[in-house]
Amino acid sequence: MKLFSNLAILAFPLILAAQTSFAKCTDCTTLEFGKKVQVPLLSPLLPLDSKGKLEYIARMGVDLFRMPTQEEPATIAFLATPSEDLMNRYKKHFDEGTLGIFLTERATYNRVEHPTILLIESADAWTITHEFMHYLFDRARLLEDPTTESRIVNNMTDAKEDFFGTWDRYKMFGGYANEEHKQATVANFVTFADLQQQILLSFEMEEMAIEKFLRLIYIHHKPVGFDQNSFDRSTRYIRSTGSKSLDYLNVMLSSCDDIRNTLTANDHELLAKLNKTCSQAQGYKNTILKIGKDLNIAFEVQH
């Protein structure tokens, strides 16, 4: 997994540096949600045991650390523990059940000099491969224009407050105060919804894309260290991340309908902006539902 905070209250800066020159990733395979991975870099890892997998990843320039837990057995006890700073910042996540975290050096909040993977002491081959795929996604983004995913989320709380400030005003007075109020409401919603989608795309949806791909690898190639227990855990994880994503998207799409109903056919530009954001959200929802159908996994949606 990648470190992720609640969509509605994300407040810390997540800054990924934009690149000034780009090239096509000619050997990339595109997975769900447009995620790209260089499979030729993944393939050599699959026949290796866990120790061999970690050695291979380290040769790619990734820093690897184990997070001490009470889990047994300690399969990667030979790895060093992270710095006190990393330990203090991420220990809580592992205490709460996280198996691994990938930290890109391009996010200033992570405060790491190199791509870094933190793993639970009892990490299995599936978990190691999962975190390596986060690195491969990040690597592929560097080969192409990363603008879509490499953006600055300065303050999700501000985006939320801006939208609900104008929307609550509309509901309070039963309409828009003026044209400026209408334009601000739509613009604030589009900004807020785009940020929510971006965070879902970079976190929850990326988790789903990885897990679906690993399941296909397990079924067709039976990599060393992959087993039925890991496969069953993957099912639960996809159900959890998919359900959470659908909840956010359903609320967002409901808001799309509410706002669209306040506009008229004459609001061409506002409708175009709104529909672009809402169509993208619907597309993501459709992809998640297709994943569930393909894998025979039923999501548990609250909204």
Side-chain angles (χ1 to χ4, degrees):
M1 68 170 287
K2 293 197 295 185
L3 189 61
F4 173 60
S5 294
N6 186 283
L7 287 176
I9 59 172
L10 185 68
F12 60 76
L14 179 66
I15 304 174
L16 304 184
Q19 305 301 300
T20 56
S21 61
F22 316 114
K24 287 295 182 183
C25 183
T26 56
D27 59 348
C28 276
T29 297
T30 302
L31 308 182
E32 281 75 15
F33 310 111
K35 299 291 180 176
K36 294 187 177 183
V37 59
Q38 291 173 283
V39 175
L41 295 180
L42 177 64
S43 298
L45 174 137
L46 299 178
L48 304 175
D49 62 15
S50 291
K51 189 170 189 287
K53 283 178 169 59
L54 293 170
E55 291 172 346
Y56 175 79
I57 295 171
R59 289 197 297 272
M60 298 287 292
V62 180
D63 289 343
L64 297 156
F65 300 103
R66 63 179 171 87
M67 296 293 287
T69 66
Q70 300 302 315
E71 295 288 333
E72 296 291 343
T75 56
I76 58 170
F78 52 86
L79 284 184
T81 55
S83 66
E84 183 177 355
D85 175 55
L86 283 178
M87 181 73 77
N88 290 338
R89 284 193 288 134
Y90 298 114
K91 183 177 184 301
K92 178 181 178 182
H93 298 280
F94 285 88
D95 289 344
E96 294 175 348
T98 293
L99 302 181
I101 293 176
F102 168 71
L103 303 171
T104 175
E105 79 281 12
R106 297 187 295 124
T108 57
Y109 174 80
N110 290 335
R111 302 205 297 270
V112 293
E113 294 183 3
H114 308 106
T116 299
I117 292 176
L118 307 178
L119 293 162
I120 191 172
E121 269 189 328
S122 58
D124 57 20
W126 190 298
T127 298
I128 293 169
T129 307
H130 176 109
E131 297 307 324
F132 181 55
M133 283 197 66
H134 281 304
Y135 163 73
L136 291 179
F137 283 156
D138 199 53
R139 176 188 174 96
R141 281 191 285 267
L142 283 172
L143 296 177
E144 298 188 339
D145 183 352
T147 303
T148 300
E149 295 198 35
S150 297
R151 60 188 300 177
I152 301 176
V153 183
N154 281 323
N155 198 320
M156 177 62 84
T157 301
D158 284 349
K160 177 186 177 184
E161 290 178 354
D162 287 345
F163 165 60
F164 283 106
T166 52
W167 184 236
D168 288 345
R169 186 181 173 198
Y170 170 89
K171 292 189 292 184
M172 181 181 300
F173 295 104
Y176 293 114
N178 49 43
E179 185 66 21
E180 182 180 356
H181 179 205
K182 180 195 295 185
Q183 293 183 11
T185 300
V186 174
N188 290 341
F189 174 73
V190 166
T191 298
F192 180 46
D194 282 348
L195 287 174
Q196 285 187 309
Q197 290 180 44
Q198 185 58 46
I199 295 173
L200 279 173
L201 182 66
S202 295
F203 295 91
E204 304 290 345
M205 295 181 195
E206 184 162 309
E207 301 294 323
M208 296 183 70
I210 291 174
E211 287 299 309
K212 182 180 179 184
F213 191 60
L214 292 184
R215 291 164 73 90
L216 290 173
I217 292 174
Y218 170 68
I219 291 170
H220 296 291
H221 301 287
K222 297 295 188 294
V224 173
F226 281 38
D227 57 27
Q228 187 63 41
N229 287 335
S230 299
F231 186 86
D232 293 341
R233 185 182 67 214
S234 172
T235 299
R236 295 190 296 273
Y237 193 42
I238 290 175
R239 179 179 294 115
S240 173
T241 54
S243 298
K244 185 182 296 185
S245 297
L246 286 173
D247 275 336
Y248 279 117
L249 290 169
N250 284 340
V251 170
M252 188 184 304
L253 289 167
S254 178
S255 295
C256 285
D257 291 337
D258 290 342
I259 295 173
R260 190 180 290 111
N261 289 334
T262 71
L263 304 177
T264 70
N266 294 326
D267 296 313
H268 303 294
E269 291 186 8
L270 294 179
L271 283 168
K273 292 178 182 178
L274 180 66
N275 288 337
K276 180 180 179 181
T277 290
C278 298
S279 294
Q280 183 167 268
Q282 184 63 55
Y284 290 144
K285 177 180 177 178
N286 293 344
T287 299
I288 294 170
L289 292 175
K290 185 177 186 303
I291 290 174
K293 182 179 179 180
D294 291 346
L295 303 180
N296 196 28
I297 295 175
F299 298 115
E300 301 168 352
V301 181
Q302 304 298 319
H303 299 93

